[in-house]
């Protein structure tokens, strides 16, 4: 009783039914492409595979069985017809039907009866293999995708076999019995193999990390937030999509719906929650604070952090503290907030600037404190395999919040500071202009992607290209 309560509590501590901030949608086009690429891939590995040993028996009289083993079985030829795969809402998964598979095999046989052994080689042709498998997708307590076999059905049409090399007197009889009993024995082994394959896949999924350290400050949590949703035309996965430093952000992911576009294999939606969780994570890690001294300011810039040169901005300062260098501490006073708006990404920044004079004995004397509110907009788009963007400043205001040198007007300072921010922004603009490469996996990449910014979320519609062995050497060839 206690154990089951603990188990239930553990379940709840691992996931709570929150909204996903990342949604991935696989369309029927994507499923069919995956099915095609998967068939190519399996066909490729089948040609070099050695099948596991096969132990069976033939029955001479009721209750008298002779065991045999087939070893070193290799596939000589295999015509793998492309299976049909469809979304299967009934089981929240997929249904795959393979029909008319034929395979030619060869290897060694051996048998043993009452301590007498016989052995030789064989050729075998298995015709008309039909397999139908239904798998169910789910989610475990910690947010891994899970896959289980729901049903499997296998039929073998006909088996032609040629055994050679037997030396015992019983050999001709063994061959006859072997021929008549091998078909159902092969048939009964297919589904256990299919289930084993799915079991291996499940083990891989369970071993996958659902969170990743992005850098020293941030971890990205990609656990599933809810069960996969399967309709007749798509599979949809909701991922948490939360960056965090030590603590999760103090705000929640809003719900959103990724529009379905059957013309693309994949749709990926990202809510501005993901961006904001990263901004918050960096904020709590203290990333948005910097010290600006005179040596980082370009010579040609109209402002220098020397009290004697601050006259145009703060008239009284050169008189009160002549000839001293200054430091500025700039930091965010709250986590920056971003929002996706139709065709633009907005960012708001609230910060403070503290100015100090550096005395000859290196003591810092506080001078004044300003608050900064600034808004930025950026546009993002896809060019080939890169996400590009441009950024601009919408608004920048400085307000005096405290002064040890008396009041002064901030207009002139605001103007020059805006100029400074614009210089930094030009560098950011340049980086965004060069773009960031779309994530690329070892065996796949995204092609023909389109990015669309909506209210509250951004969607990437894309096709994918899988490198099967044949096209892997030439990445530019589209696998068709
Ligand atoms: C999973 O995460 C752990 C800890 O962060 C790391 O040590 C391990 O290498 C990761 N495994 C994989 C397969 O990425
Ligand atoms: C000025 O700041 C830069 C960068 O923060 C730093 O490398 C340099 O040592 C500082 N110079 C002085 C004189 O403090
Ligand atoms: C500050 O500016 C004044 C006037 O140009 C100059 O004489 C002085 O050397 C500067 N101070 C420092 C520390 O650079
Ligand atoms: C500017 O940013 C501030 C701070 O994040 C935000 O409150 C405000 O709504 C933004 N204004 C505009 C016009 O985007
Ligand atoms: C440094 O110099 C300032 C101004 O001359 C003075 O007020 C302060 O006490 C001095 N600090 C130390 C530690 O000497
Ligand atoms: C900038 O913000 C201030 C105060 O929030 C506002 O009065 C002003 O109109 C804004 N300017 C622009 C260009 O948006
Ligand atoms: C950023 O680049 C875009 C074009 O890519 C340009 O229109 C814009 O003026 C640039 N902004 C800044 C601040 O450099």
């Amino acid at each position: 009783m206690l154990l089951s309560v603990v188990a239930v509590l553990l379940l709840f501590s691992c996931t709570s039914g929150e909204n996903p901030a990342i949604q991935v949608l696989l369309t029927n086009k994507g499923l069919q492409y995956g099915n095609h690429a998967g068939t190519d891939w399996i066909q490729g590995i089948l040609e070099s595979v050695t099948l596991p040993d096969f132990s069976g028996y033939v029955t001479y009289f009721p209750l008298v069985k002779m065991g045999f083993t087939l070893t070193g079985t290799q596939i000589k030829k295999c015509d793998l017809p492309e299976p049909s795969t469809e979304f299967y809402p009934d089981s929240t998964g997929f249904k795959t039907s393979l029909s008319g598979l034929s395979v030619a095999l060869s290897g060694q046989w051996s048998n043993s009866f009452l301590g007498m052994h016989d052995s030789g080689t064989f050729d075998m042709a298995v015709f008309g293999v039909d397999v139908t498998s239904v798998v169910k997708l789910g989610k475990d307590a910690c947010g891994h995708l899970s896959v289980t076999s729901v049903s499997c059905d296998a039929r073998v049409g006909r088996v032609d076999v040629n055994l050679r090399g037997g030396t015992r007197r019983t050999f001709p009889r063994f061959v006859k019995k072997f021929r008549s009993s091998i078909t159902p024995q092969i048939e009964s082994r297919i589904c256990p193999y299919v289930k084993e394959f799915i079991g291996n896949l499940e083990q891989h999924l369970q071993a996958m990390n659902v969170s990743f350290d992005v850098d020293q400050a941030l971890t990205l949590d990609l656990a599933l937030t809810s069960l996969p949703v399967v309709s007749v035309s798509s599979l949809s996965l909701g991922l948490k999509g939360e960056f965090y430093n030590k603590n999760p952000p103090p705000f929640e992911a809003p719900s959103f719906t990724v529009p379905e576009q059957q013309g693309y294999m994949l749709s990926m939606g990202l809510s501005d929650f993901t961006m904001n969780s990263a901004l918050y994570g960096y904020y709590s890690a203290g990333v948005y604070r910097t010290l600006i001294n005179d040596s980082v300011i370009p010579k040609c810039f109209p402002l220098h952090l020397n009290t004697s040169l601050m006259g145009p901005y703060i008239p009284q300062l050169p008189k009160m503290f002549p000839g001293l260098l200054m430091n500025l501490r700039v930091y965010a006073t709250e986590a920056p907030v971003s929002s996706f708006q139709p065709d633009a990404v907005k960012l708001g920044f609230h910060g403070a600037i503290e100015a100090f004079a550096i005395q000859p004995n290196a003591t810092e004397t506080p001078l004044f404190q300003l608050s900064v509110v600034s808004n930025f907009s950026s546009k993002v788009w896809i060019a080939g395999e890169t996400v590009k963007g441009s950024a601009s400043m919408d608004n920048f205001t400085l307000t005096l919040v405290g002064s040890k040198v008396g009041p002064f007007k901030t207009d002139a300072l605001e103007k020059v500071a805006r100029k400074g921010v614009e210089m930094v922004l030009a560098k950011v603009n340049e980086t965004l202009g060069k773009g960031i490469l779309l994530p690329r996996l070892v065996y796949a990449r995204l092609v023909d992607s389109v990015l669309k910014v909506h209210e509250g979320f951004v969607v990437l519609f894309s096709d994918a290209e899988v490198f099967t062995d044949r096209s892997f050497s030439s990445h530019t060839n589209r696998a068709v």
Side-chain angles (χ1 to χ4, degrees):
M1 179 59 201
L2 182 66
L3 266 179
S4 61
V5 170
V6 171
V8 166
L9 284 178
L10 278 177
L11 251 157
F12 277 105
S13 67
C14 234
T15 53
S16 49
E18 68 255 278
N19 288 321
I22 297 181
Q23 291 178 37
V24 181
L25 200 125
L26 177 76
T27 62
N28 193 42
K29 182 182 179 189
L31 180 66
Q32 295 315 321
Y33 177 74
N35 185 48
H36 184 79
T39 310
D40 276 5
W41 177 70
I42 292 175
Q43 172 89 57
I45 51 174
L46 279 183
E47 280 158 16
S48 58
V49 84
T50 299
L51 295 180
D53 291 355
F54 184 104
S55 295
Y57 58 86
V58 298
T59 311
Y60 284 108
F61 304 105
L63 303 178
V64 182
K65 290 178 175 179
M66 176 193 267
F68 68 83
T69 308
L70 305 180
T71 54
T73 307
Q74 290 203 309
I75 296 177
K76 291 278 142 200
K77 191 168 187 320
C78 175
D79 288 324
L80 182 63
E82 186 158 318
S84 76
T85 296
E86 64 195 63
F87 292 114
Y88 201 61
D90 289 1
S91 79
T92 319
F94 305 111
K95 180 177 182 175
T96 302
S97 307
L98 175 70
S99 145
L101 168 79
S102 299
V103 56
L105 308 165
S106 71
Q108 290 88 46
W109 63 268
S110 62
N111 66 21
S112 158
F113 189 64
L114 302 174
M116 292 176 288
H117 304 282
D118 205 359
S119 63
T121 59
F122 73 88
D123 290 311
M124 195 188 286
V126 184
F127 298 103
V129 179
D130 296 347
V131 185
T132 299
S133 160
V134 173
V135 299
K136 179 184 176 65
L137 298 177
K139 152 183 165 299
D140 77 1
C142 291
H144 293 97
L145 183 66
S146 72
V147 50
T148 42
S149 171
V150 176
S151 67
C152 174
D153 187 41
R155 294 271 168 273
V156 172
R158 191 179 96 233
V159 178
D160 286 353
V161 70
N162 193 359
L163 299 180
R164 283 180 304 266
T167 53
R168 300 201 59 82
R169 192 171 47 82
T170 51
F171 179 59
R173 186 131 187 249
F174 171 68
V175 173
K176 202 168 152 227
K177 291 282 180 190
F178 185 95
R179 284 204 172 116
S180 66
S181 67
I182 189 69
T183 305
Q185 292 189 52
I186 291 179
E187 204 169 77
S188 71
R189 302 300 170 85
I190 295 173
C191 283
Y193 280 140
V194 169
K195 284 181 183 150
E196 195 183 317
F197 179 80
I198 294 167
N200 285 340
L201 193 63
E202 167 72 359
Q203 277 181 9
H204 273 102
L205 289 171
Q206 298 308 305
M208 266 168 66
N209 280 342
V210 289
S211 65
F212 305 87
D213 291 341
V214 178
D215 55 25
Q216 286 189 329
L218 291 191
T219 305
L220 172 61
D221 185 343
L222 287 178
L224 288 176
T225 54
S226 55
L227 288 171
V229 176
V230 174
S231 74
V232 289
S233 58
S234 69
L235 158 68
S236 151
L237 300 177
L239 311 178
K240 192 158 180 185
E242 177 182 288
F243 287 97
Y244 60 93
N245 177 245
K246 285 189 184 69
N247 299 311
F251 41 83
E252 284 177 5
S255 71
F256 69 105
T257 308
V258 172
E260 195 172 316
Q261 282 256 16
Q262 288 291 338
Y264 291 94
M265 296 179 191
L266 296 167
S267 311
M268 277 163 283
L270 179 96
S271 111
D272 47 22
F273 171 83
T274 300
M275 286 264 283
N276 285 325
S277 67
L279 293 169
Y280 181 83
Y282 280 131
Y283 173 73
S284 34
V287 169
Y288 312 116
R289 45 177 62 242
T290 184
L291 181 81
I292 298 177
N293 59 31
D294 196 46
S295 58
V296 300
I297 294 184
K299 289 278 166 286
C300 56
F301 197 69
L303 176 115
H304 285 281
L305 295 177
N306 174 332
T307 49
S308 291
L309 306 175
M310 291 293 281
Y313 310 102
I314 308 166
Q316 66 273 37
L317 192 56
K319 292 170 212 133
M320 295 173 74
F321 294 96
L324 298 181
L325 286 176
M326 294 164 64
N327 275 342
L328 300 179
R329 276 174 218 292
V330 182
Y331 54 89
T333 49
E334 45 191 80
V337 175
S338 76
S339 65
F340 290 126
Q341 287 173 18
D343 295 315
V345 182
K346 301 274 183 185
L347 181 81
F349 177 86
H350 277 260
I353 301 176
E354 287 173 14
F356 300 85
I358 308 164
Q359 299 290 351
N361 63 9
T363 308
E364 287 189 328
T365 305
L367 299 176
F368 55 87
Q369 194 182 349
L370 301 162
S371 93
V372 188
V373 179
S374 187
N375 295 76
F376 302 91
S377 306
S378 68
K379 298 215 170 295
V380 285
W381 64 91
I382 299 252
E385 274 185 81
T386 45
V387 183
K388 297 190 174 184
S390 72
S392 60
M393 183 161 61
D394 292 342
N395 204 343
F396 182 89
T397 46
L398 280 187
T399 321
L400 190 63
V401 291
S403 176
K404 296 271 180 355
V405 295
F408 58 91
K409 279 198 154 53
T410 53
D411 310 28
L413 213 49
E414 184 179 287
K415 214 167 147 189
V416 74
R418 179 177 288 149
K419 210 167 185 162
V421 174
E422 268 164 4
M423 278 168 61
V424 175
L425 208 56
K427 288 236 167 67
V428 173
N429 218 17
E430 203 180 309
T431 312
L432 289 176
K434 287 190 187 122
I436 305 160
L437 215 58
L438 282 174
R440 185 174 187 161
L441 304 171
V442 184
Y443 294 112
R445 64 171 181 164
L446 298 175
V447 293
D448 298 337
S449 313
V450 176
L451 193 76
K452 188 120 184 56
V453 185
H454 292 266
E455 183 77 43
F457 64 100
V458 58
V459 192
L460 181 78
F461 297 108
S462 186
D463 281 347
E465 180 184 1
V466 175
F467 310 126
T468 55
D469 273 337
R470 268 175 292 136
S471 61
F472 191 59
S473 49
S474 55
H475 289 184
T476 47
N477 286 355
R478 290 291 295 277
V480 276

